Amino acid sequence: MARRRSLLRLGLVVPIVLSLTASLGFLPASASATPRIPSAARAEDAHTLAYVVNTKTDRRTIAEVQRAITAAGGTIVVTYDGIGVIVVHSANPDFGRRLRAVRGVESAGTTRTAPLSAAGTTDEGAVRYLSEAEAARIGKASGDGTEPLEAEQWDLRAIGADKAARINPGSRDVTVAVIDTGVDDTHPDLAANFSPSQSANCVSGKADTTYGSWRPVDAIHFHGTHVAGTIAAARNGIGVAGVAPGVRVSGITVSQPTPRQLIYAESVVCAFVFAADHGVQITNNSYYVDPWQYNCLDDPDQEAIVEAVNRAQLYAQRKGILNVAGAGNSDHDLASKAFTDGVSPNDSTPANRTVDPHRCWELPAQLPGVVTVSATGARSAKSYYSSYGLGVIDVAAPGGDQYQASDTPSGEGGILSTLPNNQYGYLQGTSMATPHASGVAALLKSAHPDATPAQLQALLKAQADNPGCPADPHGGNGDGIVDAACAGGKRINGFYGFGIVDALRAVK
């Protein structure tokens, strides 16, 4: 499929691709990963690329590596001492190779294949906005005690979130950080539950906490606002409801402010560290790290990306955060021996390459300790686009599927949620499944405030309802061709992991 952005290839009417992945590495023992930001930065030219340099975490090594970076023609953007990750800009085409030879450097590589100034305009599909006439018709169909547009939210009913809200809507002491394209906190369904003090803009690789910096740059950057509404849209009698309408949500912007909205490693590293240092309990990751859909360990640049992002997400786990991520929209079997990646690198010239998902990971979905989420439709079957894999998928959640019609007034198979500028619209993708799982995790954290990330993940799996592998081969897009095969049994399988999340069980 053509790809507009790394964000989970959302797309509503037209299917789109998603992404995320896993990596190895160990979190260096350190009390804090709070960054040190240099006071001056050098002007960059048209050939400048961004790099991540991963080092040991002792001060002497970091100081030596910083001197080597300058000598090699690099400008330090930010140093995360606690995890040994340095974000650098350099126009030296030999920069990565030179740094990999420096004592104390464990890996180093560029995070992109096109200069920092590059921008793109390609697109695929579009969100379907809800019109005023449709909203009025839906409002008449919504019952007493529900939100005006709740009749369209088949996804809430599918996981018992409508009933769960009457028992426990979630605690104000729990915050879910939406690492994404930005969140419009002025939306009436989000304003009451938004946490500005836990929000920032991490696009450059260092956190900008200027008030409002987390907001989307324009209405096209709607993805993060849609995700935030699914998690925590308030039950306030205005529009839609979230899975956990009583918890708080924050926004950490990581996508480039261009139409392609690419998400690079340095932005994600910044986001995990910022969330960890600002009291967040759960992060929602409905994207994969660009420009590689799968980062392969036999490539030095991709290896450095894996190491940097993994160090940051492990740091977040050590600080008590559960990281939840989408499995991707490529319908790939992430437990198979190999498949074709035809979309990488997506910031320059993509080319077909064969990847082994055991050595080439979608980030951050396949990283250790991250909850990996597949998508289901209105009939609780695996969504036709959702990637899967026995031993890779942890849980499933409603993400929408245009081939699985719902029983709502519109019959839409997509997920209805908030959009910038006080609007609402439908999208489908594992990007939409992930916030359902994050919302249920937030309800579990509300009920079990002392639960560690590992314990919280175990609870999330325990409350899930597994329908088991389908009796017939899966050919979800209606063309009669078998697109995916489900491996495993009733308890754990490749389509649903431990099962579809259940909000009602979570609060009971």
Side-chain angles (χ1 to χ4, degrees):
M1 298 179 185
R3 317 198 346 147
R4 167 182 171 193
R5 61 199 71 172
S6 69
L7 358 145
L8 181 48
R9 309 325 159 184
L10 17 118
L12 161 70
V13 180
V14 180
I16 302 198
V17 198
L18 140 76
S19 61
L20 307 96
T21 308
S23 139
L24 271 68
F26 299 90
L27 181 70
S30 176
S32 172
T34 301
R36 290 186 291 108
I37 301 170
S39 59
R42 187 181 61 190
E44 296 156 351
D45 62 30
H47 302 289
T48 299
L49 293 176
Y51 292 81
V52 284
V53 179
N54 304 307
T55 79
K56 296 178 180 179
T57 57
D58 62 279
R59 289 184 178 276
R60 181 175 179 178
T61 298
I62 289 177
E64 291 176 350
V65 171
Q66 288 175 324
R67 287 192 290 269
I69 288 171
T70 301
T75 299
I76 297 174
V77 177
V78 60
T79 299
Y80 292 99
D81 299 48
I83 59 175
V85 176
I86 306 173
V87 178
V88 181
H89 290 173
S90 179
N92 179 2
D94 199 38
F95 180 82
R97 186 191 65 80
R98 287 184 60 177
L99 262 292
R100 287 191 284 271
V102 172
R103 180 180 179 182
V105 172
E106 299 180 344
S107 60
T110 181
T111 63
R112 58 194 75 194
T113 64
L116 290 170
S117 58
T121 57
T122 57
D123 200 350
E124 176 188 12
V127 62
R128 190 176 82 74
Y129 287 87
L130 190 69
S131 69
E132 291 185 10
E134 288 178 301
R137 180 168 58 87
I138 293 166
K140 294 179 180 178
S142 296
D144 294 338
T146 65
E147 297 300 285
L149 300 178
E150 196 168 346
E152 277 297 290
Q153 293 189 273
W154 61 265
D155 49 308
L156 295 189
R157 295 186 289 279
I159 62 172
D162 53 337
K163 297 177 181 177
R166 300 175 196 143
I167 299 172
N168 183 358
S171 169
R172 300 287 292 176
D173 294 330
V174 174
T175 300
V176 181
V178 176
I179 300 176
D180 215 292
T181 63
V183 175
D184 181 3
D185 59 301
T186 68
H187 194 291
D189 263 339
L190 296 176
N193 289 340
F194 192 79
S195 176
S197 65
Q198 295 169 301
S199 300
N201 187 309
C202 272
V203 172
S204 71
K206 62 184 179 184
D208 174 8
T209 57
T210 303
Y211 193 86
S213 64
W214 53 78
R215 291 172 184 157
V217 297
D218 54 38
I220 295 176
H221 289 65
F222 50 72
H223 189 266
T225 303
H226 193 280
V227 166
T230 297
I231 296 168
R235 285 190 170 272
N236 54 8
I238 294 178
V240 297
V243 173
V247 307
R248 295 192 297 173
V249 68
S250 70
I252 305 178
T253 303
V254 290
S255 68
Q256 296 291 308
T258 62
R260 293 175 69 185
Q261 304 176 38
L262 299 175
I263 296 173
Y264 290 111
E266 63 270 22
S267 305
V268 174
V269 168
C270 170
F272 280 127
V273 172
F274 180 86
D277 289 343
H278 288 79
V280 167
Q281 286 74 39
I282 298 163
T283 68
N284 186 96
N285 302 272
S286 291
Y287 61 89
Y288 68 79
V289 175
D290 295 300
W292 306 96
Q293 183 174 11
Y294 300 96
N295 288 269
C296 299
L297 298 180
D298 59 359
D299 179 280
D301 291 318
Q302 294 169 47
E303 178 190 26
I305 291 172
V306 170
E307 181 66 21
V309 174
N310 194 48
R311 288 187 183 199
Q313 75 89 14
L314 287 175
Y315 175 77
Q317 288 187 48
R318 291 283 184 91
K319 285 278 195 169
I321 291 179
L322 179 69
N323 301 314
V324 184
N329 298 345
S330 298
D331 194 27
H332 285 157
D333 183 352
L334 300 177
S336 66
K337 293 182 179 180
F339 49 72
T340 300
D341 170 13
V343 299
S344 303
N346 63 6
D347 63 346
S348 54
T349 305
N352 285 335
R353 60 174 184 159
T354 299
V355 299
D356 174 359
H358 300 91
R359 295 284 298 170
C360 301
W361 297 320
E362 190 174 292
L363 303 178
Q366 289 178 267
L367 292 171
V370 175
V371 175
T372 307
V373 186
S374 64
T376 58
R379 296 198 296 271
S380 296
K382 182 186 94 67
S383 299
Y384 69 94
Y385 53 78
S386 180
S387 290
Y388 57 100
L390 181 63
V392 179
I393 301 301
D394 293 305
V395 293
D401 185 330
Q402 65 191 53
Y403 298 107
Q404 297 183 47
S406 68
D407 60 358
T408 66
S410 71
E412 277 281 354
I415 304 297
L416 179 66
S417 188
T418 50
L419 295 173
N421 302 327
N422 302 343
Q423 297 195 61
Y424 301 87
Y426 302 87
L427 287 169
Q428 65 178 17
T430 52
S431 283
M432 285 63 253
T434 306
H436 285 85
S438 295
V440 174
L443 293 177
L444 287 166
K445 184 66 174 177
S446 299
H448 307 277
D450 296 326
T452 66
Q455 291 170 335
L456 196 58
Q457 181 168 171
L459 289 169
L460 189 64
K461 293 175 179 178
Q463 56 73 50
D465 181 21
N466 202 324
C469 286
D472 298 322
H474 181 74
N477 63 358
D479 62 3
I481 299 174
V482 178
D483 300 307
C486 181
K490 175 68 174 177
R491 180 171 177 268
I492 308 173
N493 57 64
F495 278 10
Y496 309 102
F498 282 79
I500 302 171
V501 296
D502 192 312
L504 185 57
R505 287 186 181 179
V507 298
K508 284 184 175 182

